[in-house]
């Protein structure tokens, strides 16, 4: 095995499954013991989404490689970055083509996307993004918790600006999506979860409109098939 790769703290597309920071410390220990690279995929979790600038900070762990995208440009344009520790970088630093990592994506170094990224990062420096995330977390924890006692709800969980209501089974995904649209909101459930990842600048009234829609639609059982 050459490397381990993990989404730190949150397995996103796998079902918004959370794990404690201690798991990342254990993986760091294992990677060091067996001399493999530890790669953190922070495409989803990076730039404040879990409550810290990067999810790995909550474990005090430094990966060998970290992948970034999405919020790197504030979601305005597609751009990704792969950041490596010095020993990984220097392993490919050579004028010898056989030693170099030969890569050249078509849109690498897109100047417009890079400008958007610089502007987005400037907002993190000059505006209280992580304070806003904590406020969003408090609101979602308070409002989504109301769903916990509803029938067929398996779990309610919040981490940073990620709120999840897990249903035992979503029997009719199309009916569920239509119910949200009828409520005047756009929420995209998948697998057996309904989740919110609001913009950090969202005001409380707008966020509560989303959480109220989740509660009302789940209470109405819109995820179940009609008889």
């Amino acid at each position: 095995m050459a490397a381990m790769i993990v989404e730190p703290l949150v397995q996103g597309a796998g079902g918004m499954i959370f794990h404690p920071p201690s798991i990342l410390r254990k993986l760091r220990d294992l990677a060091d013991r067996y001399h493999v690279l530890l790669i953190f995929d922070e495409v989803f979790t990076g730039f404040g989404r879990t409550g810290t600038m990067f999810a790995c900070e909550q474990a005090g762990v430094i990966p060998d490689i970290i992948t970034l995208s999405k919020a790197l440009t504030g979601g305005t344009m597609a751009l990704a970055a792969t950041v490596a520790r010095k020993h990984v970088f220097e392993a490919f630093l050579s004028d010898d083509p056989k030693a170099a990592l030969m890569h050249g994506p078509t849109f690498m170094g897109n100047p417009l996307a890079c400008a958007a990224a610089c502007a987005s990062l400037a907002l993190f420096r000059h505006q209280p993004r992580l304070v806003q995330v904590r406020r969003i977390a408090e609101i979602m924890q308070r409002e989504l918790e109301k769903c916990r006692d509803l029938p067929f709800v398996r779990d309610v969980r919040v981490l940073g600006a990620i709120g999840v209501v897990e249903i035992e089974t979503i029997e009719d995904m199309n009916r569920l999506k239509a119910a949200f649209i009828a409520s005047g909101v756009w929420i995209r459930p998948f697998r057996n979860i309904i989740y919110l990842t609001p913009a950090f600048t969202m005001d409380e009234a707008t966020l509560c409109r989303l959480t109220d829609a989740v509660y009302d639609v789940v209470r109405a059982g819109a995820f179940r098939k009609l008889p």
Side-chain angles (χ1 to χ4, degrees):
M1 182 172 66
M4 292 189 290
I5 184 167
V6 61
E7 287 183 287
L9 301 187
V10 184
Q11 185 181 358
M16 296 295 175
I17 300 170
F18 300 171
H19 62 257
S22 59
I23 296 295
L24 303 181
R25 292 191 286 271
K26 179 66 173 178
L27 293 177
R28 179 72 273 178
D29 291 342
L30 288 171
D32 292 341
R33 183 187 309 171
Y34 293 104
H35 306 289
V36 298
L37 297 176
L38 180 60
I39 303 172
F40 284 171
D41 173 1
E42 294 231 28
V43 169
F44 171 59
T45 60
F47 300 103
R49 181 56 62 181
T50 65
T52 48
M53 190 64 173
F54 299 103
C56 59
E57 294 177 50
Q58 298 184 39
V61 168
I62 300 175
D64 299 302
I65 297 173
I66 186 170
T67 62
L68 307 171
S69 188
K70 289 189 177 179
L72 177 60
T73 61
T76 58
M77 294 190 69
L79 183 70
T82 302
V83 184
R85 295 179 70 178
K86 186 176 180 180
H87 69 282
V88 178
F89 173 77
E90 290 183 341
F92 295 100
L93 183 62
S94 174
D95 292 328
D96 182 357
K98 294 181 181 179
L101 178 61
M102 302 300 289
H103 68 293
T106 303
F107 296 105
M108 184 171 64
N110 183 315
L112 188 56
C114 291
C118 287
S120 179
L121 294 174
L123 292 175
F124 275 95
R125 286 195 298 271
H126 301 302
Q127 296 186 12
R129 287 290 178 265
L130 297 182
V131 174
Q132 292 169 328
V133 170
R134 287 194 291 272
R135 177 185 59 85
I136 286 172
E138 291 171 358
I139 295 169
M140 289 201 296
Q141 188 70 62
R142 181 189 74 217
E143 297 300 321
L144 292 180
E145 187 64 24
K146 301 172 185 177
C147 297
R148 189 176 296 277
D149 295 328
L150 294 176
F152 305 103
V153 172
R154 179 181 292 174
D155 189 28
V156 176
R157 50 188 180 269
V158 174
L159 178 63
I162 306 169
V164 181
V165 175
E166 182 177 342
I167 309 297
E168 290 181 7
T169 304
I170 295 179
E171 299 174 352
D172 191 333
M173 186 66 76
N174 290 333
R175 182 179 177 226
L176 178 58
K177 291 179 179 178
F180 282 126
I181 293 172
S183 299
V185 299
W186 175 257
I187 294 174
R188 187 181 70 96
F190 72 99
R191 290 180 179 259
N192 65 323
I193 65 164
I194 299 167
Y195 76 100
L196 301 175
T197 52
F200 301 164
T201 55
M202 184 175 289
D203 62 75
E204 183 169 354
T206 304
L207 181 54
C208 286
R209 183 178 181 185
L210 293 174
T211 57
D212 287 347
V214 171
Y215 178 81
D216 291 341
V217 167
V218 172
R219 183 180 59 176
F223 53 88
R224 305 192 69 190
K225 287 184 178 179
L226 291 173

